[in-house]
């Protein structure tokens, strides 16, 4: 049965592979796949090939039965081509774990025999090779793979819990963790330096374009991939409530679903003014490249030479002129790439052979985004395009070839490379300690999120505005200090969005005493999966052993927080199961089981009160749950 299911799976995957890759199904069995044709965005030139070989090698093939199933997973549960190699790596590590557990004998493996012990061994191998955060992500992919196998009857369902924790869950709200996370924010010197580069230092067109790109990142918080795929007509203007507003239309990254749909990032008036000016600069700089892109798109199988018939003879000087380079560069072109001809008048070239040379240099695709709905955003329809070698430090830009602006061409502008200075070094922009400023493009996204967070924008709105799928992802961008978080907790108690015993005490006090109560009682704040703990562990250990819901006075629930609610429901389910087991034990050993029963009952009672914060809370009112009596106050 297992072999029949495997053959059916691979047969289906072969057909989809042939359709996706536009090749013969026989290529499915190749040792490697060229996944570049699967790319739907052209701003990042990732590795073209993925290898179905043992981990760390490119010439030791995986067994056919193993690699066939892995290939089927990758093609039937396909994500971005950039992730395909990462997901493949977790499967390659799994094969190494399988060999370890079977004494190095590949013939001893069957998919039906895959077990939790194999996954545990794979996780140990990952921990030995990769960082903790990488291991966590790859284990999540591996668990997805096992569910894929079980759903197709290749193996039994595996109930394995990864032992590697998600790093952020443990250091996100500690003092040391907060300090490390705040390093992700650009310094004041960096922000001022970017402003100076945009306003004064950027004189060359290539510097002007990159400075304008960074200016857009400053006011939008785009991921750099979202920036570089902006359509030419990205600006959106409309009125709302009698007030004009301005936004940028963009393709969201990390969005679920098939088609690449456009979203709009609405901007503040100040941000809108800067974005309009920056986009105007970019359009002006890229106008000539856009005109040439239209020529290439109209003749996709050619690279027409302006002013020359395809069969015309050309001299070195004429080629240098149309290519935008000097005579020496033409002589340096290898003869096998550009054929020379000689007659009584000397050396000459044929225009169609120069075109062939240009076609070999040209990027494969004349588009920047595959929308996955049968259409593509062409180069001429994209904001960020440039002539070939436009950003090169020593080569001349070629006015006959147009390419998308790449991620590295923006990031290298502000990040020092071994053979190239950053813009901060080029223009002498330093920190207060004399060191040259340093930053990454993604720091601007962190910074803008931090500004919105400090300004009081709710997490849900931050998540939606910055184009994220989950509010949990936004937590990684919140960089407040301990004192700032204490202020948030105090504000939450004042607004009754945080509920608990101390919140009840606060509302029972006279107005004149409430602020003094907050200052005296709120000395620490620990953010957990199911609420906020106000206990100061520097003074005394936790008397409830971190089981906050059993009636701890320092526990607060956030009204309406669905993530906290889901965690509480999960704890309730586990506790109800434990309570059933505890009550069964009372018939055998009362002295041991009764404290266990009492503990479970207190936990369930506390969870019920915590969940009632959402169920019984009237909007805008005071606290109505988690009171000492467990009932809503009159």
């Amino acid at each position: 049965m297992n072999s029949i299911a495997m053959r059916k799976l691979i047969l289906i995957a072969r057909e989809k592979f042939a359709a996706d890759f536009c090749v013969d199904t026989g290529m499915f069995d190749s040792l490697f796949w060229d996944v570049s044709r699967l790319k739907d965005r052209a701003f990042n030139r990732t590795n073209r090939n993925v290898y179905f070989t043992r981990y760390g090698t490119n010439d030791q093939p995986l067994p056919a039965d193993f690699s066939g199933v892995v290939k089927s997973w990758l093609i039937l549960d396909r994500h971005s081509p950039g992730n395909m190699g990462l997901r493949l790596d977790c499967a390659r590590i799994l094969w190494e774990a399988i060999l370890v557990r079977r004494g190095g004998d590949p013939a001893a493996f069957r998919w039906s025999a895959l077990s939790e012990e194999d996954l545990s061994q794979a996780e140990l191998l990952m921990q030995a090779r990769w960082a903790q955060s990488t291991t966590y992500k790859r284990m999540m992919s591996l668990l997805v793979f096992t569910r894929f196998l079980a759903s197709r009857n290749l193996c039994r369902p595996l109930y394995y819990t990864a032992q590697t924790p998600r790093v952020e869950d443990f250091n996100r709200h500690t003092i040391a963790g907060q300090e490390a996370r705040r390093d992700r924010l650009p310094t004041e010197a960096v922000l001022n330096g970017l402003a100076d580069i945009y306003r004064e230092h950027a004189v060359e067109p290539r510097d002007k374009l990159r400075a304008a790109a960074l200016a857009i990142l400053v006011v939008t918080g785009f991921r750099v991939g979202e920036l570089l795929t902006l359509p030419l007509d990205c600006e959106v203007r409309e009125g709302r409530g009698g007030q004009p507003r301005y936004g940028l239309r963009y393709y969201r990254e990390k969005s679920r679903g098939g088609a690449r749909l456009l979203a709009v990032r609405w901007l503040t008036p100040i941000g809108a003014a800067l974005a309009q000016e920056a986009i105007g600069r970019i359009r002006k700089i890229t106008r000539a490249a856009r005109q040439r892109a239209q020529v290439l798109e109209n003749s996709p199988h050619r690279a027409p030479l302006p002013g020359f018939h395809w069969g015309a003879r050309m001299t070195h000087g004429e080629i240098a002129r149309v290519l935008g380079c000097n005579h020496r560069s033409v002589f340096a072109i290898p003869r096998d790439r550009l054929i020379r001809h000689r007659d009584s008048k000397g050396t000459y070239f044929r225009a169609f052979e120069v075109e062939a040379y240009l076609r070999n240099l040209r990027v494969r695709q004349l588009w920047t985004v595959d929308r996955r709905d049968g259409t593509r955003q062409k180069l001429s329809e994209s904001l960020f395009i440039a002539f070939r070698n436009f950003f090169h430090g020593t080569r001349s830009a070629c006015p006959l070839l147009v390419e998308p602006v790449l991620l590295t061409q923006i990031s290298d502008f502000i990040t020092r490379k071994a053979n190239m200075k950053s813009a901060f070094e080029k223009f002498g922009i330093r920190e207060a300690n004399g060191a040259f400023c340093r930053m990454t493009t993604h720091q601007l996204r962190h910074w803008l999120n931090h500004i919105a967070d400090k300004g009081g924008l709710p997490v849900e709105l931050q998540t939606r505005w910055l184009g994220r799928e989950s509010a949990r992802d936004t937590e990684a961008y919140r960089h407040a200090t301990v004192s700032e978080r204490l202020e948030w907790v105090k504000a939450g108690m004042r607004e009754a969005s945080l509920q608990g015993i101390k919140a009840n005490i606060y509302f029972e006090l006279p107005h004149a005493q409430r602020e003094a109560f907050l200052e005296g009682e709120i000395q620490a704040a620990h953010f957990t999966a199911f609420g906020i703990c106000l206990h100061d562990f520097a003074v005394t250990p936790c008397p409830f052993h971190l089981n906050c819901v059993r009636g701890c006075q320092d526990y607060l629930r956030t009204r309406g927080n669905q993530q906290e609610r889901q965690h509480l429901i999960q704890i309730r389910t586990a506790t109800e199961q434990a309570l059933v087991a505890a009550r069964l034990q009372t018939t055998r050993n009362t002295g041991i089981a009764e404290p266990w029963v009492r503990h479970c009952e207190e936990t369930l009672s506390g969870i019920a009160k915590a969940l009632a914060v959402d169920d019984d809370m009237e909007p805008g009112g005071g606290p109505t749950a988690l009171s000492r009596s467990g009932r809503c106050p009159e």
Side-chain angles (χ1 to χ4, degrees), residues 319-335:
I319 293 178
R321 177 171 56 82
V322 297
L323 296 184
C325 61
N326 55 39
H327 289 241
R328 185 177 302 174
S329 298
V330 176
F331 282 111
I333 299 175
R335 292 178 179 273

Side-chain angles (χ1 to χ4, degrees), residues 74-271:
L74 294 179
I75 202 68
L76 295 177
D77 188 25
R78 183 160 72 83
H79 294 245
S80 69
N83 284 335
M84 189 174 285
L86 303 178
R87 300 169 78 210
L88 175 57
D89 277 347
C90 75
R92 296 166 83 184
I93 286 289
L94 175 62
W95 177 250
E96 299 302 315
I98 289 170
L99 289 181
V100 169
R101 295 197 63 250
R102 289 160 180 79
D105 181 11
F109 171 71
R110 297 290 184 275
W111 281 113
S112 58
L114 188 68
S115 66
E116 287 85 353
E117 288 75 14
D118 291 318
L119 301 183
S120 178
Q121 181 63 52
E123 186 170 9
L124 291 174
L125 295 179
M126 291 181 187
Q127 291 172 342
R129 290 169 169 82
W130 299 331
Q132 183 176 331
S133 60
T134 303
T135 298
Y136 172 82
K137 295 174 184 176
R138 299 296 172 270
M139 280 305 302
M140 294 303 103
S141 293
L142 192 55
L143 294 178
V144 169
F145 180 42
T146 60
R147 289 195 290 271
F148 175 89
L149 298 175
S151 67
R152 287 156 178 81
N153 297 320
L154 265 71
C155 72
R156 63 179 176 82
L158 301 181
Y159 302 100
Y160 180 77
T161 301
Q163 302 304 301
T164 304
R166 181 172 178 169
V167 175
E168 295 86 352
D169 289 343
F170 290 87
N171 67 6
R172 181 171 294 165
H173 302 297
T174 64
I175 294 177
Q178 281 296 320
E179 290 176 349
R181 285 158 55 81
R182 286 179 70 86
D183 290 340
R184 301 179 188 179
L185 297 175
T187 65
E188 185 176 354
V190 165
L191 294 172
N192 290 333
L194 289 178
D196 291 339
I197 292 171
Y198 177 79
R199 186 177 60 251
E200 301 174 4
H201 299 308
V203 176
E204 299 177 3
R206 61 185 178 186
D207 288 346
K208 284 186 176 182
L209 191 149
R210 292 186 285 199
L214 293 172
I216 296 175
L217 288 181
V218 167
V219 297
T220 62
F222 283 146
R223 301 176 179 94
V224 70
E226 293 168 342
L227 170 80
L228 296 180
T229 54
L230 284 174
L232 180 63
D233 60 340
C234 60
E235 296 178 289
V236 180
R237 295 178 176 86
E238 66 177 41
R240 186 173 185 179
Q243 297 293 326
R245 64 174 183 168
Y246 174 91
L248 296 182
R249 188 184 294 109
Y250 73 103
Y251 294 98
R252 285 179 55 185
E253 278 192 351
K254 300 184 178 180
S255 60
R256 296 174 185 172
R260 289 293 185 189
L261 302 179
L262 286 166
V264 176
R265 180 72 47 84
W266 299 105
L267 305 182
T268 64
I270 295 177

Side-chain angles (χ1 to χ4, degrees), residues 328-386:
R328 185 177 302 174
S329 298
V330 176
F331 282 111
I333 299 175
R335 292 178 179 273
D336 60 342
R337 300 180 66 184
L338 181 57
I339 301 173
R340 276 83 161 163
H341 303 277
R342 292 190 63 86
D343 62 9
S344 59
K345 297 180 180 180
T347 302
Y348 68 93
F349 303 83
R350 290 292 188 185
F352 69 87
E353 293 170 341
V354 178
E355 280 196 36
Y357 166 70
L358 291 174
R359 286 199 306 272
N360 289 332
L361 294 179
R362 195 181 71 182
V363 292
R364 281 187 178 185
Q365 65 277 356
L366 296 174
W367 50 267
T368 55
V369 179
D370 185 341
R371 300 187 183 98
R372 296 184 181 176
D373 61 357
T375 65
R376 291 169 173 169
Q377 179 174 285
K378 297 184 290 187
L379 287 175
S380 60
E381 298 170 341
S382 305
L383 184 64
F384 283 95
I385 60 173

Side-chain angles (χ1 to χ4, degrees), residues 512-625:
Q513 299 178 17
R514 290 181 177 181
E515 289 304 311
F517 172 79
L518 291 180
E519 292 300 322
E521 291 292 328
I522 312 301
Q523 299 294 323
H526 311 281
F527 291 74
T528 72
F530 47 87
I532 300 172
C533 172
L534 303 180
H535 187 74
D536 191 345
F537 294 98
V539 178
T540 59
C542 175
F544 288 84
H545 305 287
L546 302 181
N547 191 353
C548 308
V549 295
R550 281 184 57 216
C552 178
Q553 295 188 7
D554 293 319
Y555 170 57
L556 297 175
R557 250 304 314 275
T558 308
R559 182 178 60 182
N561 188 307
Q562 293 303 309
Q563 183 179 349
E564 291 181 6
R565 186 175 184 85
Q566 289 302 318
H567 279 286
L568 287 167
I569 292 173
Q570 291 174 7
I571 295 172
R572 181 179 65 185
T573 301
T575 306
E576 288 172 345
Q577 295 173 351
L579 180 58
V580 172
R583 285 173 174 166
L584 289 175
Q585 290 295 324
T586 57
T587 59
R588 304 174 185 175
N589 193 330
T590 305
I592 296 177
E594 284 185 352
W596 185 11
V597 170
R598 187 166 57 252
H599 176 91
C600 292
E601 290 175 341
E602 291 173 354
T603 300
L604 291 173
S605 175
I607 291 174
K609 296 173 185 177
L611 292 174
V613 169
D614 299 328
D615 299 335
D616 302 329
M617 188 69 186
E618 291 295 331
T624 60

